[in-house]
Amino acid sequence: MKIRFEKDLPVLLFALVSASTLASLPQVESAWTGVKEVYGEQDFGLRILREAMLAVLVAYAFFEPRLRNGALSSAVLAFLGVIATYVLFEIGYALYLDLPLVVPMAGLRVFEYLPLALIGFVTSRLGAGGYVIHRFAQYLRYYIALQAVLAIAQALWAPPLFGVSFLGGGRPFGTFVSPNLFGATMATCALLFSLVPGMRKWVAASIFLALLSGSRTAFISSLLVVYFQVYAVLRPRDRWALVMPAPILAVGALVLASSPLLSGRDDADPTQDGRIDLWQRVFSEQMHGPADLLFGWGLGLSSNTINVLYGAEHFKGQFDSDSLYLYLLNGYGLIGLLAYLFFLWTTTRTSVHPNKGLVVMFIFVAGLTFNMWEYFPQNAILMYLWGTVLGTGYQSVSIPVQAGPAVSGSYYRPPSS
């Protein structure tokens, strides 16, 4: 059998994302009947499918010579070595703070899909990044169609377990445990479709589903996709008219997303959001000195994984961060937070991808009120896209492509058979 990652990788990525249709089946069935499962008491069902498909993808990358050689380059290994060293230090620091090992191990969840970023990076260096995304997006249409059917049915007839949809039923959750996760995934699919020419209908469909979910983060992320789409079609001399009012548009989007009509809730007022009170309480009660600020005060204490496994407040100091940046500050300290922001900034400086601004800004905004690196399949899609965008900046020094596709801008040529 001849391995051709240009043909195989989009199928494997689609299979990985499709695992979300079964992974949370017990929670979906409970939500349909109006029963919200409690953290620490959930049936894990078929969630092992996610890890199994990820293992298949990693194994495939290892056995595909071009992907393996690109991933094992000295620069990549050095980068991973730096990350691993600091992570091991944080694990040791958490154990020094008398936390059980399971807590800092849960804090590593944000790295679970890092191999997808590495695969995307190498794929772009080989010149096939655009083609793989194009084929992946073609397959992803079937996933969106399935989610749309379920979401519309739920928005019409499901019990209002998470709030009321503007279609009269409950806020839709698709095949996910909550509308917020469903909306975040739909917004991420809109981002992916926006990178592929000729898929505006699917961008619109994904944005509609994100809007239907009632998730504020999903709504604002979707508007960000629309904003960059409009920005791209404007002439350079006219773009200032869109840039100048951007802050006002952002505030307006937040107010609109928080309205009962779109959010489906009466408690979504951003000025009375429980997140703000939580963040203030965490800083005042748990940050006690420069060491806590620099290195964090307990890797994993703000992990949603711990909440799911053991329930809320099972460990001393445990809390739900509701923000990637608070999660990083808690688990990896100011050093880890600044390193993450620096890496985002470095992506915009080194990449030559035409949509690097959209992808990086989407990742930045998604983390403000949501730790997207802990939630599947949004984390899987965004990791791959981030790696693809970053790898585009290194094509000039990339490994020679052997029988791979030539991709430039929005032009795609499939590999020869």
Side-chain angles (χ1 to χ4, degrees):
M1 182 181 66
K2 187 175 182 181
I3 296 179
R4 295 293 301 276
F5 78 82
E6 296 93 339
K7 294 182 179 180
D8 301 335
L9 195 53
V11 177
L12 292 173
L13 289 171
F14 176 67
L16 175 64
V17 172
S18 297
S20 66
T21 61
L22 298 174
S24 303
L25 195 55
Q27 288 75 31
V28 173
E29 292 176 342
S30 296
W32 263 108
T33 59
V35 178
K36 183 185 294 186
E37 295 198 359
V38 180
Y39 278 161
E41 302 176 6
Q42 292 186 356
D43 180 353
F44 284 91
L46 300 174
R47 295 187 184 184
I48 191 64
L49 288 176
R50 304 177 307 190
E51 283 68 30
M53 279 307 308
L54 177 62
V56 170
L57 258 170
V58 172
Y60 178 88
F62 179 80
F63 287 110
E64 211 291 336
R66 289 176 292 169
L67 293 179
R68 182 179 67 249
N69 293 337
L72 296 180
S73 65
S74 58
V76 172
L77 292 177
F79 172 74
L80 295 178
V82 171
I83 292 181
T85 300
Y86 188 71
V87 167
L88 287 174
F89 166 77
E90 286 292 353
I91 293 175
Y93 186 59
L95 296 177
Y96 169 77
L97 297 175
D98 294 328
L99 291 174
L101 181 60
V102 67
V103 176
M105 293 305 292
L108 303 183
R109 178 75 187 279
V110 293
F111 295 107
E112 181 177 3
Y113 291 90
L114 183 60
L116 292 183
L118 185 56
I119 292 173
F121 175 79
V122 176
T123 302
S124 276
R125 292 189 66 189
L126 294 171
Y131 177 75
V132 171
I133 288 180
H134 175 78
R135 296 304 304 166
F136 179 35
Q138 295 295 323
Y139 294 131
L140 202 61
R141 294 177 301 172
Y142 303 104
Y143 178 79
I144 293 297
L146 171 64
Q147 297 292 344
V149 171
L150 290 174
I152 292 174
Q154 291 161 354
L156 290 172
W157 301 300
L161 184 64
F162 305 99
V164 180
S165 164
F166 58 74
L167 294 184
R171 290 174 61 198
F173 44 87
T175 59
F176 297 85
V177 298
S178 75
N180 289 341
L181 302 189
F182 167 73
T185 301
M186 294 302 101
T188 305
C189 290
L191 169 66
L192 189 142
F193 286 131
S194 71
L195 305 182
V196 180
M199 303 203 75
R200 291 183 178 177
K201 293 181 180 179
W202 293 97
V203 173
S206 301
I207 290 176
F208 170 74
L209 294 175
L211 173 65
L212 191 61
S213 73
S215 167
R216 288 173 292 182
T217 302
F219 177 71
I220 294 174
S221 299
S222 298
L223 289 185
L224 188 65
V225 174
V226 175
Y227 180 88
F228 273 85
Q229 291 274 292
V230 175
Y231 181 87
V233 300
L234 292 177
R235 295 177 298 179
R237 66 181 184 183
D238 296 331
R239 289 175 177 171
W240 67 269
L242 194 62
V243 173
M244 294 296 292
I248 299 176
L249 293 175
V251 174
L254 177 60
V255 174
L256 181 62
S258 301
S259 66
L261 176 63
L262 293 183
S263 68
R265 298 176 295 166
D266 296 325
D267 59 348
D269 186 345
T271 63
Q272 302 177 3
D273 196 331
R275 286 187 177 93
I276 298 177
D277 293 335
L278 168 67
W279 296 341
Q280 291 176 339
R281 177 170 56 83
V282 167
F283 287 133
S284 63
E285 295 181 0
Q286 300 192 30
M287 188 177 295
H288 302 298
D292 289 343
L293 176 62
L294 287 176
F295 307 114
W297 59 92
L299 176 60
L301 283 176
S302 59
S303 171
N304 183 66
T305 303
I306 286 294
N307 288 335
V308 172
L309 291 175
Y310 297 96
E313 301 181 358
H314 183 83
F315 298 101
K316 183 180 179 180
Q318 178 184 343
F319 66 98
D320 192 350
S321 63
D322 274 331
S323 169
L324 169 65
Y325 303 107
L326 180 56
Y327 175 94
L328 292 174
L329 189 62
N330 159 242
Y332 297 94
L334 186 62
I335 295 175
L337 174 60
L338 292 179
Y340 177 81
L341 295 175
F342 175 76
F343 194 49
L344 279 176
W345 176 81
T346 301
T347 302
T348 65
R349 302 298 297 176
T350 60
S351 174
V352 295
H353 195 283
N355 294 295
K356 62 181 181 181
L358 169 58
V359 174
V360 171
M361 185 61 70
F362 187 101
I363 291 173
F364 174 78
V365 170
L368 291 175
T369 57
F370 201 65
N371 184 5
M372 70 287 189
W373 299 128
E374 278 198 300
Y375 295 108
F376 179 83
Q378 184 185 32
N379 51 6
I381 298 174
L382 286 180
M383 275 289 186
Y384 184 80
L385 290 180
W386 191 359
T388 299
V389 169
L390 180 63
T392 307
Y394 293 86
Q395 285 189 15
S396 60
V397 293
S398 66
I399 306 166
V401 181
Q402 300 175 4
V407 183
S408 176
S410 61
Y411 172 70
Y412 300 91
R413 177 167 59 86
S416 57
S417 56

